[in-house]
């Protein structure tokens, strides 16, 4: 029939003329990393249509699945969209693009998981849970086969009520969703591990009934404070990295807790951990200025106190002062911004040249003439920038600024006191990581005989004498101070290895009592041990030989 039709068309054409179709313009293909903008707009229109016609996204899927086979074909999608809203104006090409984008496994159909993932936040569906089940074994009572784990990642979930029906689950993974509450998980009585990182949670484990929960990870959520976690008595490991927690509380009665991770928060002081059996404690990238309690950065001079007074009278919170100084809102304060802000703050409390009452007198005080006062202020500002800007970038970040201008006797909310207990009562501590905090001293680490690893890289430790606090830790094997000023390159080759040699000589027998085997991430070899004694141990024969005066 096709051949006949073609012959008919050929006969109707005039003799001697050949029909030539106009050449098609080549389509310009976008790079793979560029998403077509129109597809996003089309998907949004589909979401709007679904929202207008159905209460839940899953209901829309059931309506589109006209033959009830659990999947939606292109023909069903076209018919269904026309029935939902015939005025939507979606073209055939746009509907084809929707199917192509949504059908991730490229089998020509959309299943419930692909549909829900594509068209917005939704409560978890039974089909999604079924697809995510893994680890087939026996139920908790060993009476019947059961899946013990479920993985529900990147599904745009905003509720998990249906998950409570799968009571035999032990391992639950809910990462990268849009959850604001975990209350339905209280029905999973046998749950052992939970990972709900990268959601929108504001509370820590806000459910009861899971008596066997031992590990929980809630990284990168919106948690600002730790609520009471005592209902989870079996909890052994808690990871709260990447939240906005300012102080530690709510853990006092979790006597099984052995691992606590609070990296990348805004904690200014360690407290609220009294007598807990913690073995592993990590508080990287916070605002700690001391291991125990709080210490001022830089010298505690009258000048620094005057700046504190000025900022306290001008702003309700030190964090507000930093935001005010950050004029270009780039998250850091330059020397120019710091100078302008502090000058205005001092003027606001009435500081004038020669003001000895607020800024001191004598050699350290400001001159009485205006030009001399300006030079004095610039000199103090240089000292201040030198104290804060440890890496020499010319900028001060929020953590360093807050640590400097917070008073040593200022109470921390929820800590029960101004100084806080720190880690004094953590007698079982084996590993601690306080890297990238503006801490200047290792004081407070002594008195922990089980301590094996100490990570203090990127801190403000400047003196080799700080190692005196670690000399008598008999189990210490791993010490990391990389990036601290004490490890900074020296001006001469003779002093370049001074810190490493001195650290080995101080910490290893015969002077120290540690078992140091790794320093700044590098294994300590036997040759270094011998060299450290030869150069720095005054009782060593080689050392005495280097000091001999042959002229005598």
């Amino acid at each position: 029939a096709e051949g006949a039709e073609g012959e008919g068309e050929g006969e109707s054409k005039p003799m001697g003329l050949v029909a030539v179709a106009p050449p098609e313009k080549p389509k310009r293909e976008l790079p793979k990393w560029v998403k077509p903008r129109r597809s996003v707009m089309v998907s949004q229109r589909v979401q709007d249509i679904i929202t207008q016609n159905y209460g839940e996204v899953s209901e829309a899927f059931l309506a589109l699945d006209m033959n009830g086979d659990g999947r939606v074909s292109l023909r069903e999608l076209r018919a269904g969209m026309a029935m939902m809203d015939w005025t939507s104006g979606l073209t055939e090409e746009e509907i084809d693009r929707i199917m192509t984008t949504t059908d991730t496994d490229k089998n020509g159909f959309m299943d419930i998981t692909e549909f829900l993932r594509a068209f917005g936040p939704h409560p978890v569906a039974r089909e999604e849970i079924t697809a995510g089940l893994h680890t087939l074994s026996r139920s908790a009572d060993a009476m019947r086969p059961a899946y013990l784990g479920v993985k529900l990642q990147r599904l745009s979930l905003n509720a998990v009520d249906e998950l409570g029906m799968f009571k035999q689950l032990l391992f639950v993974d809910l990462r990268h969703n849009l959850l604001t509450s975990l209350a339905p998980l209280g029905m999973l009585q046998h749950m052992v591990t939970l990972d709900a990182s990268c959601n929108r949670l504001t509370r820590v484990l806000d459910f009861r009934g899971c008596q066997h929960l031992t590990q929980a990870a809630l990284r990168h959520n919106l948690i600002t404070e730790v609520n009471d976690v005592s209902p989870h008595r079996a909890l052994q490991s808690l990871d709260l990295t990447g939240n906005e927690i300012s102080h530690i509380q709510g853990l006092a009665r979790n006597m099984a807790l052995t691992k606590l991770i609070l990296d990348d928060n805004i904690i200014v002081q360690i407290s609220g951990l009294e007598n807990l059996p913690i073995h592993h404690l990590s508080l990287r990238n916070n605002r700690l200025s001391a291991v125990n309690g709080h210490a001022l950065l830089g010298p505690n001079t009258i000048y620094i106190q005057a700046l504190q007074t000025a900022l306290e009278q001008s702003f309700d919170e030190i964090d507000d002062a930093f935001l005010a100084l950050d004029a270009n809102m780039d998250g850091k304060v330059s020397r120019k911004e710091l100078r302008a802000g502090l000058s205005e703050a001092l003027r606001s409390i009435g500081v004038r040249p020669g003001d000895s009452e607020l800024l001191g007198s004598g050699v350290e005080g400001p001159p009485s003439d205006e030009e001399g006062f300006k030079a004095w202020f610039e000199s103090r500002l240089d000292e201040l920038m030198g104290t804060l800007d440890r890496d020499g970038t010319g900028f001060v970040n929020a953590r360093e600024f807050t640590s400097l201008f917070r008073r040593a006797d200022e109470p921390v909310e929820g800590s029960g006191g101004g100084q806080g207990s720190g880690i004094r009562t953590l007698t079982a501590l084996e590993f601690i990581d306080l890297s990238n905090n503006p801490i200047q001293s290792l004081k407070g680490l002594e008195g922990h005989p089980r301590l094996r690893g100490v990570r203090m890289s990127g801190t403000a430790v400047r003196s080799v004498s700080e190692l005196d606090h670690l000399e008598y830790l008999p189990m210490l094997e791993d010490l990391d101070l990389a990036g601290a000023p004490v490890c900074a390159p020296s001006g001469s080759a003779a002093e370049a290895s001074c810190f490493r040699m001195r650290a080995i000589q101080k910490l290893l027998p015969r002077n120290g009592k540690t078992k140091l085997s790794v320093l700044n991430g590098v294994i300590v070899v036997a040759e270094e041990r011998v060299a450290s004694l030869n150069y720095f141990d005054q009782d060593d024969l080689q050392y005495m030989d280097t000091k001999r005066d042959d002229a005598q």
Side-chain angles (χ1 to χ4, degrees):
E2 292 178 0
E5 184 179 354
E7 292 175 1
E9 291 177 356
E11 292 175 357
S12 62
K13 296 176 183 177
M15 295 296 294
L17 296 178
V18 179
V20 179
E24 294 185 359
K25 293 182 179 180
K27 294 183 179 180
R28 180 187 176 190
E29 295 185 359
L30 293 173
K32 293 181 179 179
W33 50 269
V34 177
K35 295 182 179 180
R37 186 171 186 144
R38 187 173 177 78
S39 297
V40 178
M41 296 175 62
V42 171
S43 297
Q44 185 60 50
R45 287 162 61 188
V46 174
Q47 291 178 10
D48 294 341
I49 294 172
I50 292 174
T51 304
Q52 293 170 7
N53 290 272
Y54 300 95
E56 299 290 345
V57 181
S58 56
E59 295 178 7
F61 178 83
L62 295 176
L64 292 173
D65 183 17
M66 297 178 183
N67 60 0
D69 63 350
R71 55 186 187 175
V72 175
S73 65
L74 179 59
R75 179 178 296 180
E76 289 174 326
L77 180 61
R78 289 173 179 168
M81 295 307 299
M83 287 190 299
M84 286 185 197
D85 188 357
W86 63 271
T87 64
S88 63
L90 291 173
T91 65
E92 294 290 327
E93 181 184 354
E94 289 173 338
I95 293 179
D96 290 344
R97 189 180 297 121
I98 292 172
M99 174 61 78
T100 303
T101 305
T102 308
D103 180 22
T104 55
D105 58 5
K106 305 304 177 185
N107 65 351
F109 298 90
M110 284 190 296
D111 57 31
I112 181 66
T113 301
E114 293 171 334
F115 188 83
L116 293 176
R117 184 183 295 136
F119 297 114
H122 60 279
V124 66
R126 182 176 291 267
E127 292 81 2
E128 290 178 302
I129 298 175
T130 303
L133 292 174
H134 62 84
T135 314
L136 180 62
S137 184
R138 306 293 295 181
S139 60
D141 56 9
M143 297 299 293
R144 58 188 181 279
Y147 284 98
L148 304 183
V150 64
K151 185 178 292 185
L152 300 171
Q153 298 180 12
R154 303 180 186 276
L155 297 178
S156 299
L157 303 178
N158 57 14
V160 289
D161 295 9
E162 191 72 20
L163 199 59
M165 304 302 295
F166 294 76
K167 298 183 183 297
Q168 299 300 330
L169 290 174
L170 302 182
F171 317 111
V172 179
D173 187 345
L174 300 171
R175 287 176 288 175
H176 298 282
N177 283 290
L178 305 172
L179 300 173
T180 58
S181 174
L182 299 176
L185 300 185
M187 301 180 66
L188 305 180
Q189 300 178 2
H190 307 291
M191 183 169 59
V192 175
T193 66
L194 168 66
D195 193 342
S197 302
C198 302
N199 280 276
R200 298 178 180 178
L201 302 172
T202 57
R203 293 179 61 80
V204 180
L205 304 178
D206 58 338
F207 55 89
R208 295 172 177 265
C210 299
Q211 299 298 323
H212 305 286
L213 183 63
T214 59
Q215 299 180 29
L218 304 177
R219 299 183 296 271
H220 302 290
N221 279 278
L222 304 177
I223 301 169
T224 57
E225 63 179 11
V226 183
N227 48 277
D228 185 14
V229 193
S230 60
H232 304 282
R233 307 252 171 157
L235 189 63
Q236 298 176 9
S237 174
L238 180 61
D239 188 348
L240 297 173
T241 297
N243 286 280
E244 299 178 4
I245 300 169
S246 59
H247 58 276
I248 308 171
Q249 62 179 14
L251 303 172
R253 291 187 287 177
N254 291 88
M255 299 309 296
L257 189 63
T258 58
K259 184 175 182 179
L260 179 61
I261 303 177
L262 290 162
D263 300 343
D264 300 311
N265 282 280
I266 53 175
I267 299 170
V268 296
Q269 182 172 302
I270 302 176
S271 58
L273 303 178
E274 291 80 2
N275 300 312
L276 290 177
I278 293 178
H279 296 169
H280 180 115
L281 178 63
S282 181
L283 291 108
R284 296 173 60 92
N285 295 313
N286 278 276
R287 300 180 180 179
L288 303 174
S289 58
V291 177
N292 293 325
H294 173 79
L296 285 176
L297 286 179
N300 187 10
T301 62
I302 297 178
Y303 169 69
I304 296 293
Q305 294 176 3
L307 293 178
Q308 289 175 330
T309 302
L311 294 175
E312 289 169 355
Q313 292 185 10
S314 302
F315 304 94
D316 294 333
E317 300 288 344
I318 293 298
D319 289 338
D320 296 337
F322 179 83
L323 294 176
L325 293 178
D326 184 15
N328 59 0
M329 296 183 293
D330 59 352
K332 53 188 178 182
V333 173
S334 65
R335 187 187 187 281
K336 183 178 180 180
E337 290 173 328
L338 187 65
R339 181 187 185 282
L342 294 182
S343 299
E344 183 61 32
L346 289 174
R347 280 195 295 269
S348 68
I349 63 172
V351 173
R352 296 291 183 269
D355 194 335
S356 59
E357 182 178 354
L358 286 175
L359 299 179
S361 58
V363 179
E364 296 295 330
S368 56
D369 60 292
E370 188 169 350
E371 291 299 325
F373 178 80
K374 288 182 179 179
W376 177 88
F377 181 80
E378 292 294 334
S379 176
R380 299 288 83 78
L381 189 61
D382 290 339
E383 294 177 3
L384 187 60
M385 285 295 296
T387 300
L388 293 176
D389 183 24
R390 301 194 309 274
D391 54 3
T393 61
F395 297 93
V396 178
N397 60 40
R399 183 178 68 253
E400 295 167 330
F401 184 85
T402 305
S403 299
L404 174 67
F405 289 113
R406 181 175 169 273
R407 293 189 184 276
D409 57 349
E410 179 183 345
V412 176
E413 183 182 357
S415 66
Q419 295 299 325
S421 63
I423 65 171
R424 294 186 184 94
T425 61
L426 302 182
T427 56
L429 194 61
E430 297 180 3
F431 174 87
I432 186 169
D433 190 343
L434 302 178
S435 301
N436 298 323
N437 282 283
I439 298 175
Q440 294 181 330
S441 174
L442 301 180
K443 184 178 181 181
L445 295 175
E446 68 277 5
H448 293 84
R450 299 186 183 182
L451 201 56
R452 294 177 177 273
V454 175
R455 302 285 174 83
M456 302 283 287
S457 60
T459 56
V461 177
R462 298 179 180 276
S463 175
V464 177
S465 63
E466 292 295 332
L467 297 176
D468 294 346
H469 301 293
L470 308 179
E471 280 185 353
Y472 299 104
L473 299 179
M475 305 298 291
L476 183 62
E477 299 174 343
D478 186 355
L479 173 63
D480 190 355
L481 284 165
V486 69
C487 300
S490 302
S492 63
E495 297 177 352
S497 61
C498 181
F499 166 75
R500 187 170 180 85
M501 292 294 102
R502 284 188 178 276
I504 294 172
Q505 183 265 336
K506 270 180 169 291
L507 298 178
L508 285 171
R510 46 184 103 131
N511 294 291
K513 304 294 182 183
T514 73
K515 297 181 179 180
L516 187 68
S517 58
V518 179
L519 178 60
N520 290 355
V522 180
I523 295 176
V524 177
V525 297
E527 290 80 0
E528 289 179 314
R529 299 188 182 196
V530 174
S532 67
L533 295 176
N534 291 344
Y535 281 101
F536 298 111
D537 190 345
Q538 297 183 9
D539 296 328
D540 189 84
L541 294 177
Q542 183 70 27
Y543 175 86
M544 291 186 288
D545 188 56
T546 60
K547 299 298 181 182
R548 187 181 61 188
D549 187 355
D550 292 336
Q552 297 177 354

